Amino acid sequence: MHLRSLASFPGRISQTLSRSNSAGLLTAQSTHAQNIQTFTKKVKHAQLLTPSRSVNFRSTSLLSTSSHVKSRSQTEKKTTGVPASVTKFLECEDHLQLEYKGAKLKLNYVWLRDHCRTGDSINHLTQQRMVDSALIDPNIQPVNVAIDEGTLSITWPDGHQSEYDLEWLLSNTYEGKQHLQGTLEPLLWNLETLSASPSPSVSYQDYLTDDGQLSKLLHNLLKYGFAFVEEAPVTVEATLAVAERISQIRETFFGRFWCFTSDLERHDTAYTAEALGAHTDTTYLNEPAGVQVFHKMEHVGEGGDTLLVDGFHAAERLRQEDPEGFAILSSVSVPHHYLEPTIHTTGVGPVLELEPGPCKELKLIRYNMHDRACLDTVPMEDVSRWYSALRNLTRYIRDPASEYWVTLQPGRILLTYNWRVLHGRSAFTGRRRVAGCYLPRDDVISRARVLKVI
Amino acid sequence: MHLRSLASFPGRISQTLSRSNSAGLLTAQSTHAQNIQTFTKKVKHAQLLTPSRSVNFRSTSLLSTSSHVKSRSQTEKKTTGVPASVTKFLECEDHLQLEYKGAKLKLNYVWLRDHCRTGDSINHLTQQRMVDSALIDPNIQPVNVAIDEGTLSITWPDGHQSEYDLEWLLSNTYEGKQHLQGTLEPLLWNLETLSASPSPSVSYQDYLTDDGQLSKLLHNLLKYGFAFVEEAPVTVEATLAVAERISQIRETFFGRFWCFTSDLERHDTAYTAEALGAHTDTTYLNEPAGVQVFHKMEHVGEGGDTLLVDGFHAAERLRQEDPEGFAILSSVSVPHHYLEPTIHTTGVGPVLELEPGPCKELKLIRYNMHDRACLDTVPMEDVSRWYSALRNLTRYIRDPASEYWVTLQPGRILLTYNWRVLHGRSAFTGRRRVAGCYLPRDDVISRARVLKVI
C-alpha cells in the first residue's frame, strides 16, 4: 500500500494540479471541454517528436514466439531472453502480451497508463489516482518497454516512466486473478463437515483486549460464516462492546441496537413467537446487513433454538446440480420490502449475487420468503424457470444435513455473516428476549484486511 | 398496503402455522425434506378429486380469440363478454393471458398462487408472505377462473380463493410495468433547463415544523437530485436536525457527522484545498451513500465554490449517442477503494447501474476518478471499449453546459442525491470548514413513499 508520511509531500497539499501533463493529471478546473482536444494534440505531437520507437529489453537476447495477435507497425516485436518466469512477451498494437507464471496477461496501453503507480500518477498518501482516466490518449503507445525478473518498465511519449511489479499485475488484472487463490478460503459446511471442525469461539475478555483474538473471531466469521464470543456479561453494553470492537454499528430504522420479544412491537415475524425458517435478514434494504450480532438476554420457557445454514454451501450445490437454475438466480434481481405505517423500504438484488471478475465467487445470498415482494423484474417467459431454481435451492437449504441447531445461552454472543449464513429459530413459549445489532459488511471486511486475516 | 390493526389477528401471534395447507404456508419446522413430496402428492390428489375443471366467468358470453400459446387440456378456454377493459383473456397450460389497458399480461399460475393477497396467503399486519413459494406445486392450475370489471378471481385445487385487482396486476408485473409512469418524473437538467426552473428551496423553520415543507424538500431532492434548506442556524445541531428530519444518519468510518477542512486529517482529497472535479461520494462502499448533507460553516478566503452536475442527464446523453458505451458502463462492475493505515474498503458496481425490470431506468451513478481501483473485472478484450465509454460519459459530465456552480453561504444547507448528482468544488484559499453527513438511500425513499411524494 506504500503509504508515505505527509512530510514527504510538502508541496502537494495546497497545489492545484496542472492539466498540461500529457497523462491528463486530475484537476477540477474542468469548465473547458476543449482541454480534451488540447491534450490529445499534445500527445500526438509528443509521439511525432520521438525519433525512433525502440523496444529496449533489459535482458539481452530475443525469443522467437508465434502469436495470432494483430501486428503493431506491421511486425510484432518478439523477444528472447526475458526472465524465466515470463514465457511469452509480445508488444502489439494496443496492448502487451505477457505470459507470467502460467497467466496470459494482455495489458492494454490505456489501462497501463491509467494504472501507473509511480511519480505523479498516484497520490501516495491517499492512494488516490491522479491520472485523469478520461484524458488518456486512446491511441497511446509506449516509446520504450523493458522487463526484468520482477518488473515491467514503460516509457511514455511524454517521458513519464512507469514501473509495474509482475506480481502486482498478476493480482490486479482480470486474467491474472484467474490464477490466484484467496488468502482465506471459506469452509462451505453442512452438519457433517462442521462436526469435524473446531468450535469457532473466543472468550469475551480475551477478545476485547487482544488483537490476536479479534483476528481469530474475524477469521472464524469469514471461514464459517458465523462465530461465537463466550462468557460475556449479559448486558446491552457488553453486546455493543463486542460489536464495536469490529466497526461502527449499522443503524437502521430498528435503531442502532434492537431487542425483540414476542410483543409484535415491530411489524415483523421476528417479533412473534413463531418458528422462523432459515432466512437472511434485511433483504428489504438495498444492501443487506453484513453481520448480525445476537445475544439471547433471557428466556423463561421452551423452544427458541437457533438454526444456522450455510447459504453458500446450498448455492454451490445448486451450481453443480442445476447450473441453469444457478444462472437465473444469480442474474435476475428480485425485490424485497418492509412495510409499517411509517416505513416502506425496498431492496432489490439477485437471490445469489456473484463477485464481478473472472472467478464468479459468491458474494451475497438474499433469501427471505416472508419479505420477498412482487416478482416484477422478470418477463413471464422466465418466471417458471426462476421458481424452479428457487425450489431447488430451497431443497438444499432445508436439507436436514444442512441444518446446524444451536441452543444459545445468555453470555454466549453469536455473530453471523448475513451475506452468507441463514438463520432461523424454532417456535418458543414464555418470555424470550434477544438483543443485537448489525454491522456494515464493508467495515468488517476492512477490519479483516487491515489485521491481515484476509 | 391494507395495514390492519393487531386486534384483527388475535389468534395469529402465538400460532405455529400448519404445513398441511396445500399452498405450502410458511413454517420453520422444516427439518423434514419429505414435506415437499407430501405436499405435492396432496395437491395432485386434490386435482383428481375436482370433478370438472370449469372456467366460470362472471360475464355471460365467450369471446373467440386466436393465439399461438400451447393448449391446455388440448383446447384453450376462450371467452367473450369479458369487461371492456380486458381485450383478451385466455387460459393456457401454465399461465393466463390477459390484455388489460393495452398491457399484455401473462400470469404464470405459480406466480399467481405465490402472489395471492387474500386469506392466509399474507400476514396483513406485516405484509409478509405466508405462502411458502418453494412448496407451490410447479404444475398447479386453477379449478376456476373468473373476471369482472376490476378483479381476477381464482379458485385453487385446495379450495383457496384468490382475488387480484387488475390495476394491482398492472403495477406488479414485468409486462404491466412497461405501461406505467412513475409518480414523480425526475427533471434531468443541464444549466439551461435548470435556469428555467424554480429554485428548489425550503426555509429551515418551516421545514422542521411542517410536513408539507418536508415533502417539498423530498420532492426537490428527487426531482432535481439536490435541494436547499435556507436560513438555518450555523451550527452542527441545526445541520443534524435537517438530516434527522428525514431519517437516521448513515454512519461511516468518518463518523456520524464529518467536518472537513484542508488539514488532510483524513487520507482523502476532500481534506485538501485542491479543486475537485465533479464526482460522487463513497464509491468505495458497496452501497454509496444515498444523500449527502453539506453545510459550509465558515470560509475566510477565496474560491471554494460548489459544482453540481446531473449524472443521469449525462448518462442519458450517453445512452442516446453511444448506446454500446452505455451498455458496457451499465453492465460491467468496477471496483473503487479507500485506503488509510487502519481502513481498506472496496466498493464494486457498474459506473451506471440500472433498475431491474422492463424500464431500464437509471438507479445509481458511481463516478470517481480518484477512488477507482484497479480495473480487474473486465477481460482485456473489453477494456478498450470500457475506457472509450468512460471518455464519452466524462465529456458530457464536463460539458460546461452541464455545470451548475453555487456559492454556498453559512446558513444555506445543501442536500445532494449522491446516487444521481455529482458534486465538486473549485480550489480555495484560507480557512474553510464544511460539515455534513450521509443519509441511507433506502430510508430517504421510504420517507418519500410514506409522505406520498413518490
Side-chain angles (χ1 to χ4, degrees):
Chain A
M1 302 182 194
H2 313 296
L3 290 169
R4 295 187 197 166
S5 75
L6 185 57
S8 63
F9 292 87
R12 173 71 49 78
I13 308 311
S14 60
Q15 275 173 14
T16 298
L17 293 169
S18 156
R19 161 149 281 176
S20 63
N21 183 301
S22 66
L25 288 189
L26 268 176
T27 164
Q29 307 292 42
S30 54
T31 49
H32 307 292
Q34 65 270 32
N35 274 347
I36 295 173
Q37 286 116 40
T38 314
F39 163 74
T40 311
K41 276 184 203 151
K42 277 190 183 165
V43 171
K44 284 191 177 150
H45 184 59
Q47 284 176 333
L48 290 171
L49 286 180
T50 308
S52 67
R53 305 189 59 258
S54 66
V55 178
N56 166 31
F57 297 103
R58 288 182 194 164
S59 12
T60 51
S61 57
L62 293 174
L63 167 71
S64 171
T65 58
S66 68
S67 167
H68 301 293
V69 295
K70 281 185 189 171
S71 74
R72 167 180 170 187
S73 313
Q74 303 309 317
T75 56
E76 293 152 0
K77 308 283 169 56
K78 299 169 186 176
T79 76
T80 80
V82 295
S85 59
V86 178
T87 50
K88 182 177 176 183
F89 186 79
L90 200 60
E91 208 183 340
C92 306
E93 191 177 1
D94 64 352
H95 70 283
L96 295 178
Q97 284 192 30
L98 189 64
E99 236 174 76
Y100 177 64
K101 292 190 176 176
K104 295 180 183 179
L105 308 182
K106 293 181 193 171
L107 304 167
N108 176 284
Y109 295 134
V110 176
W111 186 96
L112 281 167
R113 184 63 195 90
D114 191 36
H115 288 79
C116 173
R117 287 288 178 273
T118 52
D120 273 350
S121 300
I122 195 159
N123 180 329
H124 290 272
L125 177 64
T126 66
Q127 284 291 304
Q128 289 178 300
R129 175 184 283 101
M130 309 291 273
V131 176
D132 191 337
S133 312
L135 292 191
I136 300 169
D137 177 5
N139 303 310
I140 196 168
Q141 289 182 326
V143 289
N144 222 357
V145 178
I147 193 165
D148 67 15
E149 192 55 59
T151 309
L152 168 71
S153 305
I154 291 179
T155 308
W156 299 104
D158 62 350
H160 181 86
Q161 303 277 339
S162 297
E163 291 200 346
Y164 310 86
D165 186 279
L166 295 183
E167 285 296 314
W168 183 90
L169 286 172
L170 209 55
S171 308
N172 289 284
T173 51
Y174 183 92
E175 289 77 9
K177 290 184 89 170
Q178 287 174 305
H179 295 259
L180 291 183
Q181 288 252 315
T183 48
L184 192 156
E185 205 62 27
L187 179 85
L188 302 196
W189 53 262
N190 59 12
L191 202 52
E192 191 183 341
T193 43
L194 205 58
S195 306
S197 202
S199 172
S201 291
V202 295
S203 89
Y204 177 79
Q205 276 308 331
D206 294 348
Y207 167 78
L208 281 194
T209 52
D210 176 357
D211 273 2
Q213 292 299 299
L214 169 60
S215 294
K216 184 178 170 191
L217 178 117
L218 290 169
H219 176 92
N220 291 339
L221 193 55
L222 296 174
K223 184 168 180 185
Y224 301 98
F226 66 95
F228 295 108
V229 177
E230 313 278 0
E231 299 154 32
V234 187
T235 63
V236 166
E237 292 71 25
T239 317
L240 279 169
V242 164
E244 289 175 333
R245 177 89 166 113
I246 300 175
S247 79
Q248 81 278 1
I249 285 167
R250 175 163 174 192
E251 188 172 346
T252 67
F253 51 76
F254 290 105
R256 286 185 80 233
F257 191 80
W258 35 256
C259 195
F260 60 77
T261 183
S262 47
D263 60 1
L264 240 165
E265 183 196 353
R266 305 305 295 255
H267 289 190
D268 195 279
T269 45
Y271 288 75
T272 69
E274 289 172 22
L276 290 177
H279 65 277
T280 61
D281 258 32
T282 60
T283 52
Y284 44 73
L285 300 178
N286 182 68
E287 176 186 308
V291 166
Q292 184 160 22
V293 180
F294 286 104
H295 195 177
K296 188 196 274 189
M297 309 294 274
E298 66 169 310
H299 187 197
V300 184
E302 298 295 317
D305 282 351
T306 296
L307 167 65
L308 299 176
V309 175
D310 186 352
F312 284 6
H313 183 270
E316 290 298 348
R317 278 185 72 181
L318 187 74
R319 173 141 51 184
Q320 291 302 315
E321 296 175 30
D322 177 12
E324 194 203 350
F326 184 89
I328 195 164
L329 287 191
S330 60
S331 60
V332 170
S333 283
V334 297
H336 294 72
H337 63 178
Y338 184 94
L339 286 159
E340 276 192 26
T342 60
I343 299 168
H344 181 175
T345 67
T346 309
V348 189
V351 171
L352 304 175
E353 187 169 336
L354 304 183
E355 297 281 1
C359 299
K360 311 289 178 208
E361 311 104 326
L362 287 157
K363 178 180 179 184
L364 166 58
I365 178 168
R366 287 176 182 83
Y367 187 91
N368 196 310
M369 292 285 183
H370 288 292
D371 295 335
R372 193 152 33 71
C374 288
L375 184 61
D376 57 8
T377 49
V378 203
M380 205 49 76
E381 284 70 26
D382 297 330
V383 161
S384 203
R385 289 191 298 127
W386 188 88
Y387 275 105
S388 163
L390 184 73
R391 264 194 305 275
N392 284 342
L393 177 66
T394 300
R395 193 149 48 89
Y396 305 140
I397 286 172
R398 294 188 189 159
D399 183 344
S402 300
E403 296 186 331
Y404 175 45
W405 285 92
V406 193
T407 304
L408 289 179
Q409 298 299 344
R412 185 177 212 206
I413 298 176
L414 167 66
L415 292 91
T416 63
Y417 183 21
N418 184 56
W419 283 23
R420 170 181 162 193
V421 162
L422 292 69
H423 65 277
R425 66 154 188 247
S426 54
F428 62 90
T429 62
R431 178 172 168 80
R432 179 180 180 269
R433 196 159 55 91
V434 176
C437 61
Y438 297 122
L439 298 177
R441 189 259 194 175
D442 288 328
D443 300 84
V444 176
I445 297 292
S446 168
R447 191 75 150 143
R449 282 196 188 111
V450 170
L451 290 171
K452 302 198 188 311
V453 173
I454 51 176
Chain B
M1 300 182 199
H2 314 296
L3 289 170
R4 296 187 197 167
S5 76
L6 185 56
S8 63
F9 292 87
R12 174 69 50 76
I13 309 311
S14 59
Q15 276 173 13
T16 297
L17 294 168
S18 157
R19 162 149 279 177
S20 63
N21 184 302
S22 66
L25 288 188
L26 268 175
T27 164
Q29 307 292 42
S30 56
T31 49
H32 308 293
Q34 65 268 33
N35 275 348
I36 294 172
Q37 286 116 39
T38 313
F39 163 74
T40 310
K41 277 184 203 151
K42 278 190 185 165
V43 171
K44 284 191 177 152
H45 184 59
Q47 283 176 333
L48 289 171
L49 285 181
T50 307
S52 68
R53 305 189 60 258
S54 66
V55 178
N56 167 31
F57 298 101
R58 288 181 194 165
S59 12
T60 51
S61 57
L62 292 174
L63 168 71
S64 171
T65 59
S66 68
S67 167
H68 302 294
V69 296
K70 282 185 188 171
S71 73
R72 169 181 169 187
S73 312
Q74 304 308 317
T75 56
E76 292 154 358
K77 308 283 168 57
K78 298 168 186 176
T79 76
T80 82
V82 295
S85 59
V86 177
T87 49
K88 183 176 176 182
F89 186 78
L90 200 58
E91 208 183 341
C92 305
E93 190 176 2
D94 64 351
H95 70 282
L96 295 178
Q97 283 191 32
L98 188 65
E99 238 174 77
Y100 176 65
K101 292 189 176 176
K104 295 180 184 180
L105 308 181
K106 295 181 192 170
L107 304 168
N108 176 284
Y109 295 134
V110 176
W111 186 97
L112 281 167
R113 184 63 195 89
D114 191 36
H115 288 77
C116 173
R117 287 288 177 276
T118 51
D120 272 351
S121 299
I122 197 161
N123 180 328
H124 289 272
L125 177 64
T126 67
Q127 283 291 303
Q128 290 178 299
R129 175 184 283 102
M130 308 291 272
V131 176
D132 191 336
S133 312
L135 293 190
I136 300 171
D137 177 7
N139 303 311
I140 196 168
Q141 289 182 326
V143 289
N144 222 358
V145 177
I147 192 163
D148 68 15
E149 193 55 60
T151 310
L152 169 70
S153 304
I154 291 180
T155 307
W156 300 103
D158 63 348
H160 181 86
Q161 303 276 339
S162 297
E163 291 199 347
Y164 310 86
D165 186 279
L166 295 183
E167 285 296 315
W168 183 90
L169 287 172
L170 209 55
S171 307
N172 289 284
T173 52
Y174 183 93
E175 288 76 10
K177 290 184 88 170
Q178 287 174 305
H179 295 258
L180 291 183
Q181 287 252 316
T183 48
L184 192 156
E185 206 62 27
L187 178 86
L188 301 195
W189 53 262
N190 59 12
L191 202 52
E192 191 183 343
T193 43
L194 206 57
S195 306
S197 202
S199 173
S201 291
V202 296
S203 89
Y204 177 80
Q205 277 308 332
D206 293 347
Y207 167 78
L208 282 194
T209 51
D210 176 357
D211 273 1
Q213 292 299 299
L214 169 59
S215 293
K216 184 178 171 192
L217 179 117
L218 290 169
H219 176 92
N220 291 338
L221 193 55
L222 296 174
K223 183 167 180 186
Y224 301 98
F226 66 95
F228 295 107
V229 177
E230 313 279 0
E231 300 153 32
V234 187
T235 62
V236 166
E237 291 72 23
T239 317
L240 278 170
V242 165
E244 289 175 334
R245 175 89 166 112
I246 300 175
S247 78
Q248 81 278 1
I249 284 168
R250 175 164 172 189
E251 188 172 347
T252 67
F253 51 76
F254 290 104
R256 288 185 79 233
F257 191 80
W258 36 256
C259 195
F260 62 77
T261 183
S262 49
D263 59 2
L264 239 163
E265 184 197 351
R266 305 305 295 254
H267 289 191
D268 195 279
T269 45
Y271 288 75
T272 69
E274 288 172 23
L276 289 177
H279 64 278
T280 62
D281 259 32
T282 61
T283 53
Y284 43 72
L285 300 178
N286 182 68
E287 177 186 308
V291 166
Q292 184 160 23
V293 180
F294 286 103
H295 195 176
K296 188 195 274 190
M297 309 293 275
E298 65 170 308
H299 187 198
V300 184
E302 298 296 316
D305 281 351
T306 296
L307 168 65
L308 299 177
V309 175
D310 186 350
F312 284 5
H313 183 268
E316 291 297 349
R317 277 186 73 182
L318 188 73
R319 173 141 51 183
Q320 291 302 315
E321 296 175 30
D322 176 12
E324 195 203 350
F326 184 88
I328 195 165
L329 288 191
S330 59
S331 60
V332 170
S333 283
V334 297
H336 294 73
H337 63 179
Y338 184 94
L339 286 158
E340 275 193 25
T342 60
I343 299 168
H344 181 174
T345 66
T346 309
V348 188
V351 171
L352 305 175
E353 187 170 337
L354 304 183
E355 297 282 1
C359 300
K360 311 289 180 210
E361 311 105 327
L362 287 158
K363 177 180 179 183
L364 165 58
I365 178 168
R366 287 175 181 83
Y367 186 92
N368 196 310
M369 292 286 183
H370 288 292
D371 295 334
R372 193 153 33 71
C374 288
L375 184 61
D376 58 8
T377 48
V378 203
M380 205 48 76
E381 284 70 26
D382 297 329
V383 161
S384 203
R385 289 192 298 128
W386 187 89
Y387 276 105
S388 163
L390 184 73
R391 264 193 306 277
N392 285 341
L393 178 65
T394 300
R395 194 149 47 89
Y396 304 140
I397 286 173
R398 294 189 189 159
D399 183 344
S402 301
E403 296 185 331
Y404 175 45
W405 285 93
V406 192
T407 304
L408 289 180
Q409 297 299 343
R412 184 176 212 206
I413 298 175
L414 167 66
L415 291 90
T416 63
Y417 183 21
N418 184 56
W419 283 23
R420 170 180 163 193
V421 163
L422 293 69
H423 65 277
R425 67 155 186 247
S426 55
F428 63 89
T429 61
R431 177 173 169 80
R432 178 180 181 270
R433 197 159 54 91
V434 176
C437 61
Y438 297 122
L439 298 177
R441 189 259 192 176
D442 289 327
D443 300 84
V444 176
I445 298 292
S446 167
R447 192 73 151 145
R449 282 196 189 111
V450 170
L451 290 171
K452 302 197 187 311
V453 172
I454 52 175

